[in-house]
Amino acid sequence: MIHKHLIILFAFMISTSFSFAETIFGSNGIGFLDRNEGIRSVGMAGAGLSLTDSAYFHFANPAGWYNVGKTRYTISTTLVRSYASDETGTDDLDEFLFPGMALSVPIYHNYALGLYYKPVSDYNYLLIGQSEWSPKYPIDDSDTLSYKDRLQGEGGLSKMGVNLATKFGSTSFGIASDFYLGKLDNLRIIDFDDDLFSLSGRSERRELSGFGIRLGLLSDLPGNTSIAATVSLPAKLNVSTVIQYEAGDSLKFDDLDYELPLEFGIGFSKTGNRLRGVVDAGYSFWEETADSWDSYSDYINTSRLSIGVERLPLRGALDPWYEKWLYRAGVSYDEHYIELNDNKLTIFRVAAGAGIPVKSGVGILEFAFTLDFRGDESTIGAKETVVGINVGWSSMEKWFERKQR
Amino acid sequence: MSFYKRAGTPASFNPFLLILPLSILMILSGCAQYDNEVGGSLVDNEVTGELKDTLFQVDRVAMMTRGDLVKLNAANIPLGIQEELTSDIVLRFTEFNALGDTILEWRSGTLKLFGNGFVDSSETFDPASWSAVVYRIDESWDPIELTNEDTLMMTPLDTIEFITSDPFDSVEVSIDTLTLKSWVEDTLAYGIRISPLPGAGFLKNFASRLASNAEKLPVLKIDATFRKGEETYTDSVVTIYSDVSSFLTSDSFQVAGDRLYVGAGYSRLMLFHTDFSTLLSNTVSLNKVEVFVHTDSTAVGMLGETNIFTVAQIRYGWSNSDPDTTTIGSSSSRLFNVSEDTSLVRLDITPLARLWVAEPDSNYGVAVRSFNEFTTIGRRAFYDNSADSLLRPVFRVVYTEFDIP
């Protein structure tokens, strides 16, 4: 049985290369940040730093991983439809993605180990313009030549990590080591309509690698209340750049290093009889990293706020099936770390979701629906509406099981 | 492993059933992309480049003369003088096995050549008679390397007269017994050269050893008495076929000042070189590089024109004074014709120029040769660097210059 699950995991690891979602705002810096921190959190618009339920994964809070009784893994997939518009018109896009995966293993007493993969940013753009060029030395009275000018960017940053968490009393602590890997490709191609002309072009590939530390704390307080705090220490990203000219030279050199910012997050949750309210807030000091980035200096500090609510299930044997499900919803506000057209890009999200326990103890099937509103045409010059349908599976296996204490 | 549950076996989950649809979805998701210009104003990371074109003057030019190898394969061998062109015939007979083991008595030898039309039948030929001298060649020579300018040790044997303009008459030359003995008994069969005397008015074709009509092949008929084995053959006429039948042209072609020639059959190539070092491989990507050469339409060859050209890489250094020592690579598959309404020939050398930009040390220039170099006979004159600036050979380069990274 184990080997079959490993095959599935392997397949999903391969598929993670398709975890980048396209967005018109992913053309700067290291791209558009992916704030989807696990499918349960997605269903509450990103809130969930202070949740401690053992059936979920806490990508955002290293302390949340302590509560592991059995080996668990989570995988999810997302169907995205995006609508973008600016002064040039409108466009839409359908994508099928694998946003991330994780595995957690109980190791010793209150200690638990987590392994995860998750996209950090999505970098992409594609512009194909038709232009004309007047040669200085025209031949055959061809005063102008038409060509396609293709500008393309692709890539992003991902992280793989190891998370260690434990609990002392009512407070759990966690530390996560993030290993960053990524690439940012920029391509320019000139393609004449006349087939007798060859393509010219230059591609730039920046390969990123780095290491970061995140710390988390999660404490249960009296009155079914819990609080959480996280800090992400600044992470240095080493950058190696390779420039390749079409049918020409290949140059390789080390760039200025990039840096991911110092980030703070706090969370609060209050659980009632059937309802749980969750609030998260965060702040990122991007401006402190600006000097480390080559030509892109208009970085801004960003803040975010997520508010979510979750309806808890009934567990009675005779309760109807729909009462055994978890229902959740949330709204959030987030900011992009680069000013676009001298204005701040804001992202609003409305989300709803459900969790369906399957065969008590085996796992939970998760659904989440998200609706993102990014930017606006009056300030940024462009806007994007993104509809996401997420399906995930959080499984509990008996490969490694913590002894009952 | 089967995708289907075998009858009678318990149902179990086959992970490959999951991987297959996931793979299909991954492929589909990989195709997703915004394909309009929406969001173009947000792109800040673009690779900037500018289309440019320029002309490079040829800094070194020469005509390369290769051996007359091709003439060995000609079906016709011309003899005579027309305008500035002189053409000699060379023949060699070395296979005398038909004469048995021992020659008892030499009686006579006759060389017979069959007329096969005129090189330029549209010309009005001077019906006045003209003569050609038949020489016995007294030293060895290489049929591949021998050219009209080469002097050989020779002994005149006979003078033949052309008194008619009948295109298909035959010529008989008497070969003395001393010559026959030296060829057969002394194995000094170096052959015969027939050279027209001044005053010859046209070029007449004779069938070569490769002529399609076997009855018109050049032959040497020897009347002798000889012994073959135990048998004696009295007064027998033996036919000997040539193993070399070729021609040597003066190829002077001094019609309108200095010109460069491309020859087919004569194997003449034009060599051009320019310095591309100003095109830096770390900023430039070439779109199109052409060599522009102009034909001199007033210089019409008597043995035909060649109008289809190709280019080849020059592999080693050469100088204007000694171009014949270099080595030419294999020809490009692309063919280039003389423009119908101008004298211009545009030779696209983009792949070669890209190599020069990437590896400047490999730039030994480009050779222009006839596409029919090995199959037909003809030539074409081109203006060289001393011509008017509009007619000189020149390299035209269209390229994209990118910003220095």
Side-chain angles (χ1 to χ4, degrees), chain B residues 163-238:
Chain B
I163 57 174
T164 75
S165 57
D166 181 358
F168 300 106
D169 58 354
S170 61
V171 172
E172 292 188 359
V173 178
S174 176
I175 306 296
D176 63 277
T177 55
L178 187 67
T179 297
L180 294 175
K181 282 184 180 179
S182 69
W183 286 357
V184 178
E185 296 176 354
D186 302 333
T187 64
L188 300 175
Y190 300 127
I192 278 178
R193 177 170 181 169
I194 306 175
S195 301
L197 289 171
F202 54 88
L203 289 166
K204 183 169 184 174
N205 277 330
F206 291 93
S208 80
R209 60 185 289 270
L210 298 176
S212 56
N213 187 346
E215 295 181 353
K216 290 196 169 186
L217 300 180
V219 292
L220 176 64
K221 292 186 178 295
I222 297 176
D223 186 355
T225 299
F226 57 91
R227 182 179 297 135
K228 192 172 189 179
E230 298 298 322
E231 197 166 342
T232 299
Y233 295 84
T234 305
D235 299 340
S236 296
V237 177
V238 175

Side-chain angles (χ1 to χ4, degrees), chain B residues 28-57:
Chain B
L28 292 176
S29 68
C31 301
Q33 197 150 36
Y34 282 122
D35 49 13
N36 289 333
E37 293 190 33
V38 176
S41 64
L42 306 171
V43 174
D44 191 26
N45 290 352
E46 69 180 66
V47 181
T48 54
E50 184 183 357
L51 268 171
K52 294 182 176 179
D53 65 335
T54 188
L55 299 179
F56 284 86
Q57 299 301 321

Side-chain angles (χ1 to χ4, degrees), chain B residues 115-398:
Chain B
N116 201 22
F118 300 104
V119 168
D120 188 350
S121 59
S122 66
E123 292 288 319
T124 302
F125 300 113
D126 183 356
S129 63
W130 57 278
S131 304
V133 180
V134 180
Y135 295 96
R136 183 185 72 216
I137 301 173
D138 295 328
E139 63 176 306
S140 66
W141 51 281
D142 184 342
I144 294 175
E145 297 296 335
L146 185 65
T147 65
N148 183 275
E149 291 76 20
D150 295 332
T151 55
L152 295 168
M153 287 174 54
M154 298 189 295
T155 303
L157 297 180
D158 197 359
T159 300
I160 52 177
E161 287 193 23
F162 296 85
I163 57 174
T164 75
S165 57
D166 181 358
F168 300 106
D169 58 354
S170 61
V171 172
E172 292 188 359
V173 178
S174 176
I175 306 296
D176 63 277
T177 55
L178 187 67
T179 297
L180 294 175
K181 282 184 180 179
S182 69
W183 286 357
V184 178
E185 296 176 354
D186 302 333
T187 64
L188 300 175
Y190 300 127
I192 278 178
R193 177 170 181 169
I194 306 175
S195 301
L197 289 171
F202 54 88
L203 289 166
K204 183 169 184 174
N205 277 330
F206 291 93
S208 80
R209 60 185 289 270
L210 298 176
S212 56
N213 187 346
E215 295 181 353
K216 290 196 169 186
L217 300 180
V219 292
L220 176 64
K221 292 186 178 295
I222 297 176
D223 186 355
T225 299
F226 57 91
R227 182 179 297 135
K228 192 172 189 179
E230 298 298 322
E231 197 166 342
T232 299
Y233 295 84
T234 305
D235 299 340
S236 296
V237 177
V238 175
T239 300
I240 309 296
Y241 292 96
S242 65
D243 60 307
V244 172
S245 64
S246 185
F247 63 99
L248 307 170
T249 63
S250 61
D251 201 28
S252 54
F253 212 47
Q254 301 286 337
V255 178
D258 292 335
R259 294 290 182 269
L260 302 166
Y261 307 125
V262 171
Y266 309 78
S267 197
R268 304 291 188 266
L269 293 81
M270 296 190 294
L271 311 184
F272 298 109
H273 178 272
T274 193
D275 183 5
F276 271 24
S277 62
T278 54
L279 297 175
L280 301 177
S281 61
N282 61 354
T283 57
V284 161
S285 182
L286 300 179
N287 293 93
K288 191 169 189 177
V289 180
E290 294 173 295
V291 183
F292 288 177
V293 288
H294 289 268
T295 60
D296 179 359
S297 56
T298 64
V300 180
M302 296 310 304
L303 297 183
E305 282 186 344
T306 180
N307 292 311
I308 305 173
F309 307 95
T310 184
V311 293
Q313 180 185 8
I314 302 175
R315 295 192 180 280
Y316 296 102
W318 52 280
S319 65
N320 305 52
S321 58
D322 188 19
D324 296 350
T325 57
T326 191
T327 304
I328 307 298
S330 56
S331 299
S332 153
S333 59
R334 286 197 58 190
L335 307 178
F336 309 98
N337 296 289
V338 181
S339 170
E340 288 183 1
D341 49 354
T342 70
S343 60
L344 178 65
V345 181
R346 301 172 58 169
L347 305 149
D348 189 341
I349 60 162
T350 307
L352 188 55
R354 286 181 157 185
L355 175 67
W356 295 343
V357 171
E359 301 174 21
D361 290 344
S362 67
N363 182 7
Y364 297 112
V366 60
V368 181
R369 70 203 315 177
S370 169
F371 169 65
N372 303 313
E373 186 176 8
F374 303 114
T375 54
T376 63
I377 299 169
R379 60 183 167 182
R380 193 89 193 201
F382 292 87
Y383 290 97
D384 71 0
N385 256 3
S386 62
D388 181 86
S389 61
L390 293 175
L391 297 173
R392 288 176 199 160
V394 69
F395 288 76
R396 179 177 184 254
V397 182
V398 178

Side-chain angles (χ1 to χ4, degrees), chain A residues 247-269:
Chain A
D249 251 6
S250 175
L251 309 175
K252 184 172 184 177
F253 52 88
D254 292 329
D255 238 342
L256 293 171
D257 290 339
Y258 292 177
E259 195 178 27
L260 295 177
L262 175 68
E263 291 184 309
F264 290 106
I266 54 171
F268 172 83
S269 67

Side-chain angles (χ1 to χ4, degrees), chain A residues 132-153:
Chain A
E132 288 196 332
W133 172 66
S134 298
K136 193 173 169 184
Y137 303 99
I139 303 296
D140 298 341
D141 300 324
S142 303
D143 292 332
T144 59
L145 294 165
S146 58
Y147 65 95
K148 288 185 179 59
D149 196 347
R150 182 187 183 99
L151 281 170
Q152 190 167 8

